[in-house]
Amino acid sequence: VIKCKVVIVWAAKDPLTIQDAEVDPPKAGEVRIHILHTCICHTDEYTRSGKDPEGTFPVILGHEGGGIIESVGEGVTDVQPIIFPTSFETPWLECKKWKFFTSGKTNLCSSVRSTQGRGVMPDGSVCFHWRGKDISISLMGVSSFSQYTVVVSQYSIVKVNPKVPLEKLSLLGRGDQTPGVVNFSIAVFGCGCIGLDVVNGARHLGNSHIIAIDTNLAREAWAFRLGATEFINSAALRRGVGSVQEHLVAITGRGLDLTNSLDQENDTKTETILFSIGQWSTRFLLHPPYWSHQHNAGALQVRS
């Protein structure tokens, strides 16, 4: 057991407080990491706000960061205690055996999803303790707002080049792993960090029609820089005579092959997306807090 500093949110809407806590050693399949750098994502604030349907309290937030592997649990073969820095987040790496990975369509690992969303380790326990009280892990099963943490799966970890600054690599722990597809017409709703990653991934995979959609004009230059072929100010369209849906159909002739929604508003997810694409298309709703929400898409296919 390691004693260290952690940042705890005791209840929804409470402030973050620094406390001394105990961190258990890793069990089977788990990895304990000495955290050197951590990042802040809006999902952490969303969970703290109490709006997240999977939020559990008290909790240690943080789900993207980097550090040094301190110890590993039984059965861990992909990584070992090393001096090399490690970037980690929710299981996005190749487990090579679960359905999502073997489908050939994603590298998302679903092996710990059922417990991860409940704030516990794969065996139902917790790894953090404060004065004898159990503290939930975070939504993503990482809890990087701590000097030491136990990551729920070895598939959440990747060894990285020690010559690259870890404070920058930590940013790649989540958003920059967002995948792309080949030879599709694509619309990306919301051009923050993850949305721009989708744009960039689509460009690298050779897609020729990449439409970036946002209300923030400051993101237009970044969208074009990273590969967008068109930028749409959705707020301006809504104030005009048309709509985002009508405009997308007009410029594509039939709708889009794929849309990625990174907007946090449900009306964007359930209206703007569903009416802008063809019946053969696929929609990805890429915002973790909405995994537990249902989207009434009728006969259309929606993936979250």
Side-chain angles (χ1 to χ4, degrees):
V1 176
I2 290 179
K3 294 183 179 180
C4 68
K5 298 288 184 182
V6 301
V7 178
I8 300 176
V9 178
W10 293 106
K13 300 181 180 180
D14 277 3
L16 281 67
T17 61
I18 299 177
Q19 304 286 343
D20 292 307
E22 297 179 339
V23 186
D24 290 339
K27 297 183 290 296
E30 301 170 358
V31 179
R32 187 160 62 183
I33 295 176
H34 178 201
I35 297 175
L36 301 179
H37 298 278
T38 187
C39 302
I40 298 175
C41 175
H42 189 271
T43 303
D44 297 310
E45 169 55 23
Y46 183 80
T47 300
R48 189 199 68 84
S49 73
K51 298 178 181 179
D52 185 353
E54 291 189 341
T56 57
F57 298 92
V59 65
I60 299 172
L61 297 173
H63 58 279
E64 37 191 280
I68 304 296
I69 295 176
E70 182 270 338
S71 57
V72 300
E74 180 183 355
V76 173
T77 57
D78 279 26
V79 294
Q80 293 296 322
I82 50 175
I83 62 172
F84 294 106
T86 295
S87 178
F88 57 91
E89 205 259 332
T90 187
W92 285 100
L93 305 182
E94 286 86 348
C95 64
K96 300 178 176 63
K97 61 180 180 179
W98 291 92
K99 183 177 181 179
F100 282 9
F101 175 77
T102 58
S103 71
K105 299 178 180 179
T106 178
N107 60 348
L108 177 66
C109 174
S110 59
S111 60
V112 296
R113 181 66 190 97
S114 60
T115 52
Q116 178 189 13
R118 295 189 287 113
V120 296
M121 305 302 283
D123 65 354
S125 66
V126 298
C127 65
F128 290 100
H129 312 278
W130 178 84
R131 299 181 183 179
K133 182 180 179 64
D134 291 342
I135 307 296
S136 297
I137 59 172
S138 75
L139 170 72
M140 301 297 182
V142 171
S143 286
S144 60
F145 291 1
S146 173
Q147 291 178 320
Y148 285 85
T149 191
V150 178
V151 178
V152 297
S153 170
Q154 62 181 316
Y155 305 123
S156 297
I157 299 169
V158 60
K159 186 172 73 172
V160 297
N161 190 329
K163 295 181 180 180
V164 181
L166 191 58
E167 66 271 19
K168 295 181 179 180
L169 279 176
S170 298
L171 292 168
L172 308 183
R174 180 188 175 196
D176 283 342
Q177 298 181 52
T178 303
V181 292
V182 181
N183 296 325
F184 273 29
S185 59
I186 299 173
V188 180
F189 293 81
C191 295
C193 176
I194 301 178
L196 290 174
D197 289 330
V198 175
V199 170
N200 193 28
R203 174 177 66 91
H204 278 292
L205 290 172
N207 294 281
S208 59
H209 201 177
I210 307 167
I211 305 168
I213 304 168
D214 207 297
T215 60
N216 186 348
L217 290 179
R219 296 174 175 175
E220 181 176 5
W222 275 105
F224 283 121
R225 179 178 176 181
L226 292 174
T229 58
E230 184 167 351
F231 183 89
I232 296 175
N233 180 350
S234 54
L237 274 179
R238 293 187 185 112
R239 291 193 298 268
V241 295
S243 68
V244 177
Q245 302 97 301
E246 293 168 349
H247 185 68
L248 288 174
V249 171
I251 64 177
T252 60
R254 56 176 175 79
L256 292 133
D257 296 310
L258 182 144
T259 60
N260 291 269
S261 173
L262 297 112
D263 193 306
Q264 296 182 25
E265 300 300 327
N266 275 335
D267 60 351
T268 299
K269 295 177 181 299
T270 57
E271 294 176 13
T272 304
I273 299 173
L274 299 183
F275 290 104
S276 64
I277 44 190
Q279 294 294 325
W280 58 87
S281 306
T282 302
R283 303 92 176 144
F284 290 91
L285 310 184
L286 297 175
H287 196 274
Y290 291 92
W291 278 337
S292 297
H293 289 193
Q294 292 183 355
H295 299 270
N296 183 13
L300 302 183
Q301 180 186 18
V302 180
R303 297 181 182 178
S304 61

